[in-house]
Amino acid sequence: DRDVTGVQTCALPIFHPPTSGWITTAFSWRWIFYINLPLGGAALVYIMATLHMPARRVEHRIDYLGGILLGVIATSVILVATWGGTEYRWASAPVLSLIALAVVALVAFISVERRAAEPMLPLHVFKNRNFSLTMVLTFFVGIALFGAMTFLPLYQQTVQGASPTVSGLLLTPMMVGSAITSIVAGQAVTRTGRYKIFPIIGGAVMTIGMFMLSRLGLHTTRLETCIDYLVLGLGMGFLMQMVSLIAQNSVELRDMGVASSARMFFQQMGGSLGVAAFGAVFASRLNGAMTAAGSKFHVSGGSLDPATVTSLPAVLKHQVDVAISHAIQGVFVWVVPASVLIFVIALFIKEVPLRSGGAPDKEQPAAEPELVG
């Protein structure tokens, strides 16, 4: 995938990041489609052929209008965050029109969801305190984590001189830390049934990790960044799975799918807004640093990539490396408050006993799985 910084990375969930980096270097980022789509299709065919579950046919009414309005809201908000202050002035007609469109679509969406027989996003789930908190929590996790981490490959491949393969390898400590704390938290919740402490710890540790990353500089070693990634991963492990658990435990069984999909939606929205917002911060600080150095070299978020930096004359490359370090610091300085908000929000989560596996939904008797038709 080519992100907003122009860095080529290969987002292959099936492979370890170093393998993804090697594939990107040896072939092309387009191999994300050549590999994942056929394997995903094969997995789908295998599941359809081998997964046999008792089912009963039930007619459902799909909320097409609600889905369209939700898409309009999400698209408008992301475009405002992407174009505002960069492609267009904040007070320009395109930005103001998008804001108005998002507001109108939101009002219409709420009205539609209140009347829909089977709403896309049932509004009654937000009456639950824990569910609402976890949606806000996962939104800020998306902003802080995915918004900021987008720019690390650029720093690694330019300032630190890492190849895409090594860049993926450098992120391994973060995955290891996340896996360790996920297992520890999962085991603890299974044995005790208590979970509130884990998102609190996760928010605190994640804040520390983001603060450490805000100190990245021109001479930061790869070992130092690996330690930073490890700390960040430890915090992530306490957060990611616990947020899903709390959201699902906060709704009735019939709304379990809504809880999972809503969490992913708010996380993706947070990540998209984070990438757009921090991309503007990154580009502003980068060009500001270049101007202060007396250079006319000017970039936008999508026009800078490691190949471009590597091909620059030595003096100009040094200036760009210094500017990238300065810009990266600024991004993580802004991420720290978002991480603090994650910690604060987690404090207000209420400890509710976990639902037993066999507890039926009060409004829907336990029955065989349904087959949508």
Side-chain angles (χ1 to χ4, degrees), residues 21 35 76 112 118 161 261 313 331 334 346 363:
I35 293 176
S76 300
V112 168
E118 297 184 51
S261 59
V331 168
W334 280 99
E363 298 185 23

Side-chain angles (χ1 to χ4, degrees), residues 59-70:
E59 295 294 332
H60 288 284
R61 299 179 62 182
I62 300 177
D63 182 18
Y64 291 107
L65 182 56
I68 292 173
L69 290 171
L70 190 60

Side-chain angles (χ1 to χ4, degrees), residues 342-364:
I342 293 172
F343 168 76
V344 173
I345 293 169
L347 293 174
F348 291 92
I349 292 176
K350 183 179 180 181
E351 190 91 62
V352 178
L354 292 176
R355 180 189 295 113
S356 61
D361 193 323
K362 293 180 180 179
E363 298 185 23
Q364 182 174 331

Side-chain angles (χ1 to χ4, degrees), residues 41-310:
L44 178 61
V45 171
Y46 175 77
I47 291 174
M48 293 173 62
T50 60
L51 183 61
H52 302 290
M53 299 179 64
R56 58 189 176 90
R57 178 171 293 274
V58 177
E59 295 294 332
H60 288 284
R61 299 179 62 182
I62 300 177
D63 182 18
Y64 291 107
L65 182 56
I68 292 173
L69 290 171
L70 190 60
V72 171
I73 295 169
T75 303
S76 300
V77 171
I78 291 173
L79 288 178
V80 167
T82 304
W83 290 346
T86 54
E87 298 292 331
Y88 304 98
R89 293 180 295 105
W90 285 105
S92 64
V95 173
L96 293 178
S97 298
L98 284 170
I99 294 175
L101 178 61
V103 173
V104 172
L106 176 60
V107 174
F109 176 76
I110 294 174
S111 176
V112 168
E113 296 305 277
R114 285 178 174 175
R115 298 195 304 267
E118 297 184 51
M120 177 74 65
L121 182 60
L123 300 181
H124 68 263
V125 296
F126 290 97
K127 295 179 180 179
N128 184 285
R129 169 181 169 179
N130 274 6
F131 181 84
S132 296
L133 286 175
T134 53
M135 293 304 104
V136 177
L137 188 65
T138 196
F139 178 79
F140 280 105
V141 168
I143 288 180
L145 184 59
F146 299 102
M149 297 298 290
T150 301
F151 301 93
L152 285 177
L154 176 63
Y155 172 81
Q156 294 168 337
Q157 296 175 38
T158 54
V159 179
Q160 293 187 326
S163 66
T165 304
V166 175
S167 178
L169 183 62
L170 291 173
L171 294 176
T172 301
M174 182 172 64
M175 296 188 304
V176 171
S178 178
I180 291 173
T181 49
S182 292
I183 294 172
V184 170
Q187 291 290 334
V189 171
T190 300
R191 294 176 181 176
T192 67
R194 307 185 70 85
Y195 52 80
K196 178 178 179 178
I197 187 63
F198 297 111
I200 295 175
I201 296 175
V205 176
M206 187 175 178
T207 300
I208 295 172
M210 291 298 186
F211 174 77
M212 295 169 66
L213 287 170
S214 72
R215 301 170 65 84
L216 292 177
L218 186 63
H219 303 292
T220 303
T221 66
R222 293 181 183 179
L223 176 61
E224 291 173 328
T225 55
C226 285
I227 294 174
D228 298 345
Y229 299 156
L230 175 63
V231 174
L232 181 60
L234 293 173
M236 287 169 50
F238 282 125
L239 273 170
M240 303 299 284
Q241 298 304 319
M242 289 300 108
V243 170
S244 295
L245 173 67
I246 296 170
Q248 293 174 354
N249 190 61
S250 301
V251 299
E252 297 178 355
L253 290 180
R254 64 175 182 173
D255 292 323
M256 290 279 281
V258 171
S260 298
S261 59
R263 187 194 70 82
M264 289 300 300
F265 173 77
F266 281 100
Q267 180 175 290
Q268 291 297 326
M269 282 293 295
S272 299
L273 291 175
V275 169
F278 296 139
V281 172
F282 179 87
S284 175
R285 288 177 65 91
L286 180 65
N287 289 310
M290 294 302 298
T291 301
S295 173
K296 296 182 180 180
F297 185 82
H298 181 85
V299 299
S300 62
S303 65
L304 186 66
D305 60 70
T308 301
V309 176
T310 302

Side-chain angles (χ1 to χ4, degrees), residues 1-3 6-12 20-21 24 28-30 32 150 153-154 157 164 167:
D1 191 11
R2 181 180 288 272
D3 56 35
V7 178
Q8 289 189 358
T9 56
C10 195
L12 296 174
S20 303
T24 302
S28 165
W29 60 267
R30 292 178 176 83
I32 181 176
T150 301
L154 176 63
Q157 296 175 38
S167 178

